[in-house]
Amino acid sequence: MAENMFLFWGSGSIPCWKPMIVLEEKGFGGYKNKLITFSNKEHKGEDVLKLNPRGQVPTFKDGDIVVNESNAICEYLECTYTDKGTQLIPTDKAKRARVLQRMHEAAANMQQKLVLDLLYYFFQTKEEDRKEEEVAKKVEAAKEELDRWEAYLGETKAFVAGPDFSMADVWFYPFIAFSVRMGLELEKFPNMKAYYDKVTARPSIQKSWPPHWKEEPAKFSPFKGRI
């Protein structure tokens, strides 16, 4: 099956990393793929655009079927290949409800508060134009969000939606890993630190780890000393 799959992806992209984790968890390692370079605008190349008119990655093919949005790819793989590899969305109603809740909670809140509101403020605002009161407000919102997930992990003592690794972890973990690269100090969040170490050791994470993260440290760590 993996031989009929093809993924265009970018290193370090959270949207790309999520379906890559799912592909490994479902046992589809070895799928065909192309690593694109954002700085060269390869995501706007003809080979991507003919499958994805938005010129974005991830862009995914399974035979003749094309699925482009990150979360859609994850759900497509789980729904289509439920019997393969790790079951990422449970069939039990109560467990499924908890996983779905945590999936969409992570997608909405971690993306907004850590990436769009805080990280992008540093990326898009010149240092001389940054307002400390604005930074402090955004940092506080990010801390509150992380405290919420710290509490969840304190309840489960395992993964974000319960005792088993699930799609909720696929959608949550990359935000934490990216934040750690940006300087997040997990010693302040002991439950999250234990979770991060455990999930990082999973084969699916190791096999899909962003290659440039292995090669060089982050050039910018805006979270360091703040969160």
Side-chain angles (χ1 to χ4, degrees):
M1 294 179 185
E3 64 272 12
N4 295 322
M5 297 178 178
F6 195 101
L7 180 73
F8 290 92
W9 61 286
S11 180
S13 158
I14 291 174
C16 291
W17 199 0
K18 291 192 289 185
M20 293 172 75
I21 296 170
V22 174
L23 283 161
E24 295 294 343
E25 289 286 343
K26 302 305 288 184
F28 296 134
Y31 57 90
K32 297 174 184 177
N33 68 90
K34 180 179 179 180
L35 170 61
I36 62 93
T37 304
F38 293 111
S39 59
N40 293 336
K41 297 189 182 299
E42 292 177 1
H43 53 302
K44 302 299 184 183
E46 184 179 346
D47 51 353
V48 174
L49 286 171
K50 69 182 180 182
L51 299 176
N52 187 347
R54 293 184 184 273
Q56 297 173 341
V57 290
T59 290
F60 177 71
K61 279 193 72 178
D62 182 12
D64 295 328
I65 298 169
V66 178
V67 190
N68 292 322
E69 294 296 323
S70 175
N71 293 344
I73 298 169
C74 292
E75 294 190 59
Y76 166 81
L77 287 167
E78 175 62 17
C79 293
T80 306
Y81 301 105
T82 305
D83 60 335
K84 302 295 182 184
T86 307
Q87 185 182 55
L88 295 170
I89 299 179
T91 53
D92 176 83
K93 288 194 297 184
K95 292 179 180 178
R96 176 188 287 261
R98 175 61 63 88
V99 168
L100 291 172
Q101 168 67 32
R102 295 289 181 259
M103 284 165 56
H104 292 279
E105 197 173 350
N109 294 284
M110 295 294 286
Q111 172 80 1
Q112 187 66 51
K113 296 176 183 178
L114 270 76
V115 179
L116 299 179
D117 290 349
L118 182 56
L119 187 61
Y120 278 22
Y121 183 77
F122 285 101
F123 284 163
Q124 297 175 350
T125 309
K126 294 179 181 179
E127 187 172 0
E128 61 268 25
D129 294 333
R130 293 174 196 154
K131 295 179 172 59
E132 279 307 312
E133 62 271 23
E134 187 70 17
V135 172
K137 184 169 68 173
K138 294 176 184 297
V139 166
E140 185 59 30
K143 284 181 178 178
E144 288 180 3
E145 186 62 31
L146 290 170
D147 284 340
R148 186 177 300 275
W149 291 92
E150 174 73 3
Y152 290 159
L153 290 165
E155 293 170 2
T156 65
K157 306 296 183 185
F159 300 101
V160 294
D164 301 314
F165 184 86
S166 72
M167 192 71 80
D169 299 287
V170 173
W171 288 20
F172 174 75
Y173 171 84
F175 288 109
I176 297 303
F178 189 76
S179 296
V180 168
R181 184 169 171 82
M182 293 292 102
L184 172 64
E185 298 167 347
L186 285 179
E187 288 71 18
K188 300 175 183 177
F189 305 94
N191 296 324
M192 200 174 297
K193 174 67 165 62
Y195 168 83
Y196 175 79
D197 291 342
K198 175 168 54 181
V199 177
T200 299
R202 287 183 76 86
S204 63
I205 302 298
Q206 290 298 306
K207 291 175 182 176
S208 61
W209 193 262
H212 80 279
W213 289 12
K214 299 176 182 178
E215 298 165 1
E216 58 184 21
K219 297 176 182 177
F220 185 43
S221 301
F223 292 177
K224 191 172 182 63
R226 291 187 171 91
I227 304 179

